[in-house]
Amino acid sequence: MKTALRTCPLCETSCGLRLTLDDAGSVLRVEGDEDDPFSKGFLCPKGAALGQLDEDPDRLARPLVRVDGQLRPASWEEAFTEVHRGLGETMAAHGRNAVALYFGNPTFHTMAGFLYRQPLTQTLGSRNVYSASTIDQMPKHVASGLMFGDPMAVAVPDLDRTDFMLILGANPVESNGSLCVAPNFKGRLRALQERGGKVVVVDPRRTRTAELADEHLFIRPGTDAYLLFGIVHTLLAEGLTSLDVEITGLPELRSLALDFTPEVVERACGVPAATTVRLAREVAAAPSASVYARIGTCTAEFGSTAQWLVDVINALTGNLDRAGGVMFAKTAGLEIFRSGQPFATGAWHSRVRGLPEVLGEFPVATMADEIETPGDGQIRALLTVGGNPALSAPGAPRLARALSGLDFMVCVDPYLNETTRHANVILPPPRILQSPHFDFLVQIIMVRNYARFSPPVLPLGHDQRSEAAILAKLLLILSGQGPDVDPEVCEEMLLGQLLAAAPELRDGLDGADGTEHILDALLKLGSYGLSLEAMRQAPHGLDLGPLQPRLPEILCTASGKVDLAPAALAADVPRLLDRLRDPAPEMVLIGRRHLRSNNSWMHNVPSLVGGSNRCTLQIHPQDVARFGLGERARVRSAAGEVEVSVEATDTIMPGVVSLPHGWGHKDSGQAVARRNAGVNANALTDELVVDPVSGNAVFNGVPVRVLPV
Ligand SMILES: Nc1nc2c(c(=O)[nH]1)N[C@H]1C(S)=C(S)[C@@H](COP(=O)(O)OP(=O)(O)OC[C@H]3O[C@@H](n4cnc5c(=O)[nH]c(N)nc54)[C@H](O)[C@@H]3O)O[C@H]1N2
Ligand SMILES: Nc1nc2c(c(=O)[nH]1)N[C@H]1C(S)=C(S)[C@@H](COP(=O)(O)OP(=O)(O)OC[C@H]3O[C@@H](n4cnc5c(=O)[nH]c(N)nc54)[C@H](O)[C@@H]3O)O[C@H]1N2
Ligand code: SF4
Ligand SMILES: [Mo]
């Protein structure tokens, strides 16, 4: 028996785990690491199932290559040779824009995903770059970029010190938190209440977070921007502001907010005018307050407006960049990536729908258009890394059909699933316990500065490649160096770029391989002067202290001030006003998350599926009666139709139905998932509707009809 410490890589929360393994390397027990200064022993059922996920018999052990229409096991040499042939032919015949990249959610967490994403993108030189960002948090980047200059400057609630928290469209008790990394979020909310603070949740469902809160408000899906504007209106009208950061745009903001009286807002979102006024007064009067809004507000038609107004309220009430308000974390290894240049979007536009590039990406919502529409720049080949867009993208069935028509597709993914089944080559990364872990990106969004490195628990087999080595090989192939070059060449190249300003560090770098060398370099260049050795000395993780005010270091707008009314966001306000004239749809669809699930890829672990984690349609009993529903219902939208089991519950607002995403596994290579297939919520979401400022997909507030079966 052996014990190993490591960070759980499954979600943003980054809990420290203590694993007990047998001699063969099988996980016997998973516990929360009590000595981790941040997670303090917390873990959720997914972390507890890490061993089963790690040893999932359906995980691919070898590459698969398509021969005569069939995916067959192949050697790494055969697989890379085929990638070289397929991508090479596409680039030679149709140019680089004909090859697209898609980076899925796990690439935000894996070391390889973080280290190779930018280099792969730059080396390919295609405009067709897509990622899970535009089906998730892109509105946050846009709002932060336009207000603070830096799209990665995400203001995080100072959860452990705040006195008042307004949560919109997030269910951290179930999701464990997003863009706000806080192990045991529930315990931290309870602590907030115990110190005399208040939690208010705005959600069309009475979620487990709403149940814990002091107050829960139902809101009509897709209308948070109105409520937030109503709060801004009240703060300005009643003189409840206490700005203590340098700002511009206050007169413009004042005139934009004028139309959004609490009465107008009530008609749009269903929150009583008196409640909006009271909320504004409570946020302003609290000793400290933080407004926090997530998926329910990001993946909505006015996502960027909502994210902007969240930080407008934080700023107006004096809660931006101060203890107990919202603050900016200081990362251990990322500060050198700050460009210092003011953020802008739309350096180029997509070919078919003319959508602006944001952070160098096009919206996932237009990927099918770019694959299907002939002409110069049409996508003919695709490389996905850790993504399952055939389930996760809006209008997913259309995208899945488009994938089947590609000339060539490569997937770096451990599973044969709804997306990878269309591939010509699947390159599987090793098991979780064979991979190192250092969560670079989540450092930006932690409620406390903290770092932890986990070296691989188990060695690689001779017939395995690390994910970094796989991505390095792909980079070398895309750069024209062919399939036979040693991936170490690539690691040296990355180190050379990183250390351009400090080449003297190269010789003293520590680490067992290129990935560790790069980590050592980033830590040494980073804000805390850490190193790989310092991380090894702190196997339970390193507490780097509470968040500190640091707005002046972050700000890089053209004015050097926080912009309360960026032109690109102000320009979208007339659309919000116009929408007031449209009648509200009779029924709308929203999503939901379950504690034992994570997007599309953990439905193959028996202990995580079944019970309450099922793909059902939640609907209010009044609506069940109104539509004469039995056990099953058909749900129809402009995009498609599904048939699904009905779950009547008064925890959801009348007029709203909820389906979880990530289901619809009937064509999966995962046996357990196939038996619990469920239906794909994204057969109903419409890829033609996006938040136009960020290009983000709309998963909440989708108009639907519900019909008896
Ligand atoms: N257990 C579990 N944890 C996860 C994941 C998972 O799939 N399962 N996924 C991970 C990922 S990738 C992410 S991005 C995070 C997301 O983390 P969260 O943002 O906390 O995600 P959800 O739990 O979906 O919470 C969104 C809430 O918004 C509500 N909502 C829907 N529409 C609206 C609306 O128009 N207005 C308002 N105010 N609310 C609305 C929904 O009812 C829901 O309760 O979770 C991460 N953690
Ligand atoms: N209707 C609706 N749709 C949604 C959402 C919603 O709330 N409602 N939420 C959206 C959100 S927030 C997100 S983040 C997206 C997620 O969208 P995606 O990122 O496209 O999908 P995931 O389901 O996270 O798929 C992850 C893939 O990575 C693979 N994988 C797992 N571990 C690794 C690894 O270590 N390396 C590699 N290379 N691959 C790995 C898995 O096998 C799987 O194929 O879905 C979005 N879709
Ligand atoms: S909350 Fe669960 S899935 Fe997320 S890091 Fe912690 S144990 Fe892992
Ligand atoms: Mo996400």
Side-chain angles (χ1 to χ4, degrees):
M1 292 226 291
K2 147 180 175 183
T3 325
L5 297 170
R6 73 160 293 150
T7 305
C8 176
L10 301 180
C11 85
E12 291 168 57
T13 310
S14 316
C15 301
L17 304 180
R18 181 192 292 275
L19 312 175
T20 310
L21 299 106
D22 67 14
D23 290 338
S26 275
V27 177
L28 300 174
R29 194 163 68 228
V30 183
E31 296 158 293
D33 178 1
E34 304 270 352
D35 298 319
D36 184 303
F38 192 37
S39 61
K40 296 180 178 159
F42 179 81
L43 90 170
C44 85
K46 291 188 292 294
L50 190 72
Q52 292 154 55
L53 203 55
D54 189 52
E55 290 175 59
D56 185 341
D58 288 337
R59 198 172 251 276
L60 299 175
R62 302 180 59 188
L64 299 182
V65 173
R66 192 172 296 278
V67 182
D68 300 328
Q70 296 292 317
L71 280 167
R72 303 217 170 106
S75 71
W76 287 96
E77 289 68 29
E78 287 164 330
F80 284 121
T81 302
E82 176 63 0
V83 173
H84 177 61
R85 184 200 64 76
L87 293 183
E89 281 176 10
T90 304
M91 288 192 285
H94 305 287
R96 293 189 164 255
N97 287 332
V99 179
L101 296 175
Y102 175 83
F103 296 99
N105 174 277
T107 65
F108 294 91
H109 298 290
T110 59
M111 291 184 80
F114 171 76
L115 295 176
Y116 282 92
R117 179 170 166 170
Q118 234 6 63
L120 271 171
T121 305
Q122 272 162 5
T123 304
L124 173 59
S126 165
R127 286 195 170 175
N128 279 306
V129 179
Y130 302 82
S131 87
S133 290
T134 55
I135 48 179
D136 187 342
Q137 82 288 358
M138 199 56 112
K140 190 75 202 174
H141 294 307
V142 167
S144 293
L146 294 171
M147 292 180 75
F148 311 129
D150 180 353
M152 300 309 275
V154 175
V156 180
D158 187 13
L159 188 55
D160 297 338
R161 291 182 287 189
T162 194
D163 298 293
F164 184 97
M165 194 159 171
L166 174 59
I167 300 177
L168 304 104
N171 184 11
V173 171
E174 206 98 40
S175 71
N176 286 307
S178 180
L179 298 189
C180 179
V181 174
N184 192 11
F185 209 118
K186 185 166 140 191
R188 290 172 198 258
L189 287 177
R190 288 232 167 94
L192 191 172
Q193 292 170 317
E194 277 158 19
R195 62 179 180 263
K198 178 171 178 180
V199 179
V200 180
V201 169
V202 179
D203 198 302
R205 286 169 47 228
R206 192 168 66 246
T207 60
R208 289 175 62 195
T209 309
E211 265 166 12
L212 176 153
D214 300 276
E215 182 175 0
H216 168 226
L217 302 169
F218 280 127
I219 186 165
R220 210 169 280 150
T223 65
D224 296 77
Y226 295 99
L227 174 64
L228 292 161
F229 246 136
I231 294 176
V232 172
H233 177 101
T234 307
L235 292 173
L236 294 172
E238 300 193 357
L240 298 175
T241 58
S242 54
L243 277 158
D244 58 8
V245 292
E246 291 245 51
I247 53 102
T248 59
L250 188 56
E252 293 84 350
L253 178 72
R254 200 178 282 283
S255 89
L256 290 169
L258 220 51
D259 292 315
F260 297 93
T261 63
E263 293 71 28
V264 166
V265 165
E266 173 171 345
R267 263 181 280 136
C269 71
V271 175
T275 305
T276 302
V277 171
R278 178 173 53 78
L279 268 183
R281 291 177 185 161
E282 284 181 357
V283 177
S288 68
S290 51
V291 184
Y292 165 68
R294 239 347 234 127
I295 279 293
T297 65
C298 273
T299 55
E301 247 197 286
F302 296 95
S304 296
T305 305
Q307 293 307 318
W308 160 45
L309 296 174
V310 160
D311 281 334
V312 163
I313 298 170
N314 286 322
L316 287 179
T317 54
N319 284 300
L320 178 63
D321 198 38
R322 75 137 155 173
V326 293
M327 305 186 82
F328 302 97
K330 187 166 187 165
T331 67
L334 291 181
E335 302 301 316
I336 59 158
F337 293 109
R338 287 187 190 281
S339 80
Q341 294 302 310
F343 171 76
T345 65
W348 53 86
H349 288 78
S350 70
R351 196 174 55 100
V352 181
R353 276 158 66 185
L355 295 166
E357 147 286 326
V358 178
L359 287 178
E361 298 180 27
F362 287 142
V364 173
T366 196
M367 195 150 88
D369 304 312
E370 296 294 335
I371 298 175
E372 287 170 352
T373 312
D376 193 25
Q378 178 184 9
I379 299 174
R380 293 164 185 273
L382 172 66
L383 164 60
T384 71
V385 186
N388 194 0
L391 287 190
S392 59
R398 175 182 166 211
L399 181 60
R401 279 194 301 280
L403 296 181
S404 69
L406 287 168
D407 292 347
F408 196 75
M409 181 167 162
V410 187
C411 298
V412 182
D413 202 289
Y415 284 110
L416 177 60
N417 65 19
E418 302 77 11
T419 294
T420 62
R421 63 191 278 268
H422 299 289
N424 295 76
V425 179
I426 307 178
L427 303 167
R431 282 165 53 181
I432 299 170
L433 295 190
Q434 294 172 314
S435 302
H437 195 77
F438 185 89
D439 234 314
F440 288 97
L441 287 172
V442 300
Q443 293 216 326
I444 298 174
I445 47 175
M446 290 186 157
V447 301
R448 202 177 161 89
N449 295 314
Y450 159 93
R452 176 166 170 149
F453 172 62
S454 315
V457 174
L458 301 171
L460 288 180
H462 74 280
D463 55 350
Q464 288 178 298
R465 299 288 180 276
S466 71
E467 185 152 13
I470 296 171
L471 297 184
K473 273 281 198 188
L474 291 173
L475 190 150
L476 291 164
I477 290 172
L478 290 174
S479 75
Q481 296 182 64
D484 304 320
V485 182
D486 191 325
E488 279 179 27
V489 171
C490 197
E491 292 164 347
E492 268 320 310
M493 201 178 73
L494 293 187
L495 274 174
Q497 287 165 5
L498 273 181
L499 296 176
E504 69 283 0
L505 285 181
R506 176 63 194 95
D507 284 343
L509 284 184
D510 184 10
D513 59 16
T515 301
E516 291 195 0
H517 288 147
I518 296 173
L519 174 61
D520 191 40
L522 284 169
L523 291 170
K524 284 176 174 160
L525 293 168
S527 331
Y528 300 92
L530 296 173
S531 63
L532 190 63
E533 183 53 24
M535 301 314 304
R536 284 197 204 102
Q537 297 295 327
H540 302 283
L542 205 56
D543 180 32
L544 299 168
L547 304 183
Q548 303 287 341
R550 61 184 305 238
L551 184 62
E553 291 165 59
I554 301 266
L555 266 185
C556 56
T557 49
S559 63
K561 298 175 180 175
V562 173
D563 192 349
L564 292 183
L569 292 164
D572 200 35
V573 174
R575 190 172 65 95
L576 189 65
L577 282 170
D578 284 351
R579 187 56 52 85
L580 283 170
R581 285 197 289 272
D582 296 348
E586 196 191 5
M587 290 301 292
V588 290
L589 173 74
I590 62 170
R592 75 174 182 269
R593 282 176 163 74
H594 190 282
L595 185 57
R596 283 185 294 125
S597 190
N598 192 20
N599 298 337
S600 73
W601 66 281
M602 292 179 201
H603 297 151
N604 207 46
V605 175
S607 68
L608 295 181
V609 288
S612 55
N613 183 20
R614 286 184 311 125
C615 182
T616 57
L617 185 77
Q618 292 190 341
I619 180 167
H620 194 278
Q622 278 173 22
D623 289 324
V624 172
R626 185 154 69 109
F627 300 123
L629 303 181
E631 271 182 23
R632 294 177 70 75
R634 276 184 299 146
V635 188
R636 188 182 291 163
S637 73
E641 183 175 302
V642 298
E643 193 189 304
V644 63
S645 299
V646 169
E647 180 187 340
T649 168
D650 68 358
T651 56
I652 194 163
M653 276 172 87
V656 182
V657 286
S658 164
L659 261 185
H661 72 287
W663 297 89
H665 300 298
K666 72 177 177 8
D667 298 323
S668 173
Q670 297 166 293
V672 177
R674 215 168 40 234
R675 284 199 296 277
N676 300 275
V679 296
N680 187 357
N682 285 319
L684 297 171
T685 58
D686 187 346
E687 74 280 11
L688 298 178
V689 184
V690 293
D691 165 38
V693 189
S694 65
N696 209 86
V698 177
F699 297 133
N700 292 299
V702 177
V704 290
R705 291 183 62 203
V706 182
L707 308 154
V709 172

